[in-house]
Amino acid sequence: MVNKLSQHPDISAVELITQYAYAMQMKYHSYLITINPSKDTIFIQENALYSKWTEELNNVLADTELPLIQSFAKAKYALDQMFLTITERGQLEYFYHQKALIRSQQLQSLLNISKATLSRYVAAGLEKLPDVGHRCYPLHNGFYWGNGVWASRIQALYQTYRLRNRTKEDVIKELETEINEFQDNYNGTFEEVFGHIDDPYSLDEPDDYFDWRDALEELNKQQYE
């Protein structure tokens, strides 16, 4: 199947993802159930755009020597990168067999980290499945987050997806959170704290002044556009 895909440059972007998702389901059938593009996915153009990630995915799928978890982790990363290059919005949603998922305590032990550190990793991009119960962490997180280089790659990819998929509501929520944090830290509103300031550079923390002011201006812009 991999060789067949490489020989058909006229394949559509949708078909490219569909075929590679099927190839991964076949190769990792004991680990992976299915892969689907999210409902908000928008493809850049009809024809597929081949990239280094297509070649990387081909190599991983054709490799019969790699251990299952390591092989899947590398294939998933290449597929997510490929999907990023041929879409302008959306992401791939992965569904796993129960035996591919572990509890938080198991992942903490595997990575030798605390519960607080695990929470920070999740916020930075560690994969956690919603609405599946306590066994919600795929095993390949151990491969990604047990290696500094791979952890950095996953964080960078996660941030790229997060930023491009943000809705207007997401932006407003982020701005409101930032403003509330400033108000809590300074025990007052921007006007109450800085309304009398003529020269922000005379402050001990002028960055707070500008960041807070800019957040308020951006929130007002987002709310009334």
Side-chain angles (χ1 to χ4, degrees):
M1 179 180 288
V2 169
N3 291 333
K4 182 179 178 181
L5 285 170
S6 301
Q7 294 167 6
H8 290 275
D10 58 340
I11 190 172
S12 72
V14 175
E15 183 67 12
L16 181 73
I17 290 299
T18 300
Q19 292 296 328
Y20 272 114
Y22 181 71
M24 288 191 57
Q25 289 167 220
M26 293 299 98
K27 182 175 177 67
Y28 307 110
H29 59 88
S30 65
Y31 189 85
L32 176 71
I33 298 175
T34 189
I35 307 170
N36 296 320
S38 59
K39 292 181 180 180
D40 62 343
T41 295
I42 300 174
F43 287 90
I44 292 175
Q45 61 186 50
E46 183 177 346
N47 291 335
L49 300 175
Y50 287 85
S51 67
K52 69 174 184 178
W53 300 112
T54 315
E55 182 179 353
E56 177 65 20
L57 183 54
N58 289 345
N59 292 336
V60 176
L61 290 175
D63 192 326
T64 59
E65 303 297 324
L66 284 175
L68 173 67
I69 301 300
Q70 182 178 345
S71 178
F72 177 80
K74 289 185 175 183
K76 180 182 185 298
Y77 180 75
L79 183 62
D80 285 338
Q81 289 280 14
M82 181 204 300
F83 186 79
L84 187 65
T85 66
I86 63 176
T87 57
E88 62 182 49
R89 186 170 184 80
Q91 61 188 27
L92 291 173
E93 298 173 343
Y94 294 78
F95 300 86
Y96 306 98
H97 289 293
Q98 187 71 7
K99 66 180 181 180
L101 304 173
I102 57 178
R103 295 172 177 267
S104 60
Q105 295 90 337
Q106 293 172 287
L107 185 55
Q108 287 171 229
S109 177
L110 182 63
L111 295 175
N112 192 28
I113 59 175
S114 66
K115 183 177 181 179
T117 298
L118 178 58
S119 295
R120 289 198 297 272
Y121 283 3
V122 170
L126 184 144
E127 188 176 2
K128 179 182 180 182
L129 304 184
D131 306 321
V132 296
H134 295 295
R135 295 170 67 94
C136 57
Y137 297 95
L139 276 165
H140 55 269
N141 278 316
F143 172 79
Y144 287 149
W145 296 85
N147 179 296
V149 173
W150 273 103
S152 295
R153 290 173 180 169
I154 295 304
Q155 290 178 69
L157 183 60
Y158 171 77
Q159 289 300 328
T160 301
Y161 269 102
R162 187 186 71 83
L163 289 173
R164 80 162 192 169
N165 289 336
R166 284 192 308 173
T167 64
K168 182 175 182 178
E169 290 71 23
D170 293 330
V171 174
I172 288 175
K173 185 176 180 180
E174 290 172 11
L175 289 168
E176 288 176 339
T177 298
E178 181 181 359
I179 291 166
N180 287 336
E181 288 176 354
F182 278 124
Q183 290 182 169
D184 290 342
N185 290 337
Y186 284 93
N187 295 314
T189 65
F190 180 84
E191 285 300 322
E192 291 170 343
V193 177
F194 292 133
H196 63 288
I197 299 298
D198 295 322
D199 180 14
Y201 292 101
S202 66
L203 297 167
D204 292 335
E205 297 290 342
D207 286 347
D208 283 358
Y209 174 96
F210 292 113
D211 291 344
W212 195 351
R213 181 200 64 184
D214 292 347
L216 287 166
E217 291 178 354
E218 181 62 23
L219 178 60
N220 184 67
K221 177 182 176 182
Q222 290 290 334
Q223 289 176 329
Y224 292 100
E225 275 188 344

